[in-house]
Amino acid sequence: MTDVTNGAANHSTPAVLVLEDGRVFRGRSYGAVGTTLGEAVFATGMTGYQETITDPSYDRQIVVQTAPHIGNTGVNAEDPESTRIWVAGYVVRDPARRPSNWRSEGSLDDELARQGVVGIQGVDTRAITRHLREHRTMRAGIFSGEAAERSDKELLDEVLGSAPMEGSRLAEEVSVDESYTVEPRDHGWEDEPRFTIAAVDLGIKSMTPHRFAERGVRVHVLPASSTLDDVKAVSPDGFFMSNGPGDPATADAQVALLRSVLDEHIPYFGICFGNQILGRALGFGTYKLRYGHRGINQPVMDRRTGKVEITSQNHGFAVDAPLDGPTTAPEERYGRVEVSHVSLNDQVVEGLACLDIPAFSVQYHPEAAAGPHDAAYLFDRFIDLMDSQKTSQSEEAK
C-alpha cells in the first residue's frame, strides 16, 4: 500500500522507517515522498537492483538492500523483469549521487519517484538486516515529508493496521489479464520450435520465457486464473508455473489446476511459487520462513549430483517435505517423490523431483536475472523431460 503525497524526493526531506515491533530508523527521503506499508525483507545482492525491484514476487514488500551503495549504474529500459516496479518501498544506505554506466538512461531515484515508490536513504541497513534476521521479517512502513512529522505511536499504529503476508493471495494481483506468446524466432532460434509449453503467470519474470525461447521452446503465458481447458487449448508439450508473491497456502485454485495437469501426465516444471504449488499438489504443507532467502548468492546442493550451485532466490515460504527419501507423496496417486535440492545455509527444501510422474521443481531462479548462471541446466532438463515423455507416448501408441 502506497500513499504518495508529493513528487520526487528532496534528499533533505526527513523520512522514517517503522517496524511492527516498534523499532524506528530515521533517514531522508529517497524516490517518492509519502507513505508506504508492506512486509520488510532484506535482499543480499550486490548488483541487479533493477531486476529486483521489478520482480513481481516483491509485491507488497519493502526491500532493504544490504549492499551499502545502490544506484551507481542507473536504470535502463532493457533490464526490468516486468512492466513496472513492484516493491512497496525501498531502503538504501548510501545511494549514488549520479549514475555512471554506459547503459544508464536515468537515475534510480528519479525512476522510483516517477513510479510513486516511497523510499528512505541514509539509514543503517546493516542494523536493519541484523534486526530482521534476529526477530523475523515483519510489517513495516516508510513515512516521509508531512507523514514523518507524526508521532512514532501514530506511525506504529498504522503499520500494525496493515495486512500481514501470511494469508495474502497476491498472484492474481500481479498476473497478466490476457495470455500472450513468446516465440523462439524472436530470441535467436532459427529453426521451427522444438516444443510448446503453457506457462501460468503467477508473477513471472520476463527472462524466464526468454530462456525457454532461446532454446527453441514456444511459450504461451497464461493468466493465474487459467483452467485445464485453457492449458489444453494450446496443445502443450509441457506445463510451467512461475515465481510469484503471497502465501502458497492461499493458492488452492493453482494447486487444483496442477493436480489436473499431473493427472493428464503432462510434464511439469515449476520455480519458486511453482515449487511450493507442486509441494502442495503432492500433499505436502508449506510454512513461512523466519526471514526468507533473497539475493543472488544463495548456495544450494543438487543432491543427485553433489554439485553446489550459487543461486538467485526470492522467497519467504518453503515446502515442508522430508529430506530423507524417496518417500511416497501424501497424495499417493503421484507415487514417489524426493527432495532434489537443499539450501546449504539452513537445509530448506530447494527442489522436488517426482520419480513416477514427469514433474520437478526448484525453489530458486534459474533464469539468472539478476544472478549467476549455475542453474541454467534446469531449462535443458525440462526439455529432456518433454522429449522423453513424447518418445514414451509415441512408443505406447505403436
Side-chain angles (χ1 to χ4, degrees):
M1 173 232 168
T2 304
D3 178 20
V4 180
T5 56
N6 294 297
N10 181 323
H11 288 179
S12 64
T13 301
V16 57
L17 170 69
V18 178
L19 303 180
E20 74 169 89
D21 65 355
R23 187 76 185 270
V24 174
F25 296 86
R26 300 188 183 279
R28 304 183 308 282
S29 185
Y30 187 60
V33 175
T35 296
T36 190
L37 302 171
E39 180 186 49
V41 301
F42 60 87
T44 60
M46 296 182 67
T47 185
Y49 58 78
Q50 190 172 359
E51 291 91 340
T52 294
I53 63 177
T54 57
D55 179 351
S57 297
Y58 281 112
D59 184 34
R60 298 197 193 178
Q61 292 184 320
I62 294 173
V63 174
V64 181
Q65 291 281 182
T66 61
H69 194 48
I70 296 294
N72 48 324
T73 57
V75 296
N76 60 60
E78 296 180 8
D79 291 346
E81 285 299 308
S82 65
T83 58
R84 53 166 283 193
I85 295 174
W86 282 102
V87 298
Y90 204 47
V91 183
V92 300
R93 179 167 185 161
D94 182 22
R97 288 177 293 175
R98 63 181 64 86
S100 179
N101 185 275
W102 67 275
R103 298 177 67 238
S104 176
E105 298 170 4
S107 75
L108 174 59
D109 185 12
D110 288 344
E111 187 63 21
L112 291 167
R114 187 182 73 81
Q115 296 197 37
V117 179
V118 176
I120 184 172
Q121 64 167 308
V123 290
D124 187 344
T125 52
R126 180 177 175 82
I128 298 170
T129 298
R130 289 173 64 90
H131 189 79
L132 294 176
R133 281 198 64 190
E134 292 170 4
H135 297 277
R136 64 180 167 77
T137 58
M138 60 185 74
R139 290 172 293 174
I142 301 174
F143 307 89
S144 57
E146 292 182 2
E149 298 174 3
R150 296 153 59 197
S151 71
D152 290 355
K153 182 181 184 307
E154 289 179 290
L155 301 181
L156 178 59
D157 287 344
E158 188 164 349
V159 170
L160 294 175
S162 63
M165 189 58 68
E166 294 97 328
S168 293
R169 182 176 175 177
L170 304 179
E172 288 82 359
E173 182 174 299
V174 304
S175 182
V176 290
D177 295 322
E178 297 182 355
S179 61
Y180 63 93
T181 303
V182 179
E183 294 287 354
R185 65 173 177 268
D186 296 327
H187 295 277
W189 187 261
E190 298 180 354
D191 299 323
E192 289 297 308
R194 302 166 64 188
F195 296 100
T196 295
I197 67 171
V200 172
D201 174 12
L202 306 175
I204 199 168
K205 296 169 71 176
S206 63
M207 190 57 72
T208 302
H210 181 155
R211 295 297 186 215
F212 280 120
E214 67 188 11
R215 289 168 166 80
V217 178
R218 175 183 286 131
V219 183
H220 294 283
V221 181
L222 309 179
S225 58
S226 296
T227 65
L228 179 61
D229 287 340
D230 296 325
V231 171
K232 295 176 73 172
V234 301
S235 301
D237 300 299
F239 181 64
F240 174 82
M241 279 186 164
S242 76
N243 60 292
D247 187 343
T250 67
D252 292 344
Q254 288 77 28
V255 171
L257 171 60
L258 179 53
R259 284 176 175 165
S260 64
V261 168
L262 297 179
D263 291 339
E264 295 280 336
H265 300 287
I266 300 172
Y268 173 72
F269 175 33
I271 65 171
C272 202
F273 206 72
N275 176 67
Q276 296 158 10
I277 291 174
L278 177 60
R280 284 199 56 202
L282 296 174
F284 298 114
T286 57
Y287 64 99
K288 195 172 192 302
L289 296 169
R290 186 175 182 85
Y291 50 84
H293 301 159
R294 297 174 181 89
I296 58 176
N297 52 1
Q298 306 283 331
V300 167
M301 175 176 284
D302 184 337
R303 301 177 85 189
R304 292 177 164 184
T305 65
K307 180 180 177 181
V308 176
E309 305 164 19
I310 302 303
T311 67
S312 174
Q313 299 197 18
N314 172 16
H315 66 108
F317 294 84
V319 176
D320 186 9
L323 296 180
D324 298 325
T327 185
T328 300
E331 288 289 330
E332 295 183 1
R333 70 183 187 272
Y334 298 125
R336 297 166 301 149
V337 61
E338 66 181 2
V339 172
S340 58
H341 297 74
V342 294
S343 168
L344 293 182
N345 285 334
D346 52 16
Q347 296 298 297
V348 164
V349 173
E350 293 285 354
L352 297 168
C354 295
L355 305 181
D356 299 314
I357 58 172
F360 73 97
S361 59
V362 293
Q363 186 59 62
Y364 48 96
H365 288 265
E367 81 288 335
H373 294 260
D374 293 18
Y377 70 92
L378 292 165
F379 293 102
D380 300 307
R381 179 178 289 181
F382 187 44
I383 290 172
D384 291 342
L385 184 64
M386 290 188 288
D387 188 38
S388 176
Q389 183 73 359
K390 179 173 285 190
T391 299
S392 176
Q393 290 173 341
S394 297
E395 292 177 351
E396 290 176 2
K398 292 180 180 180

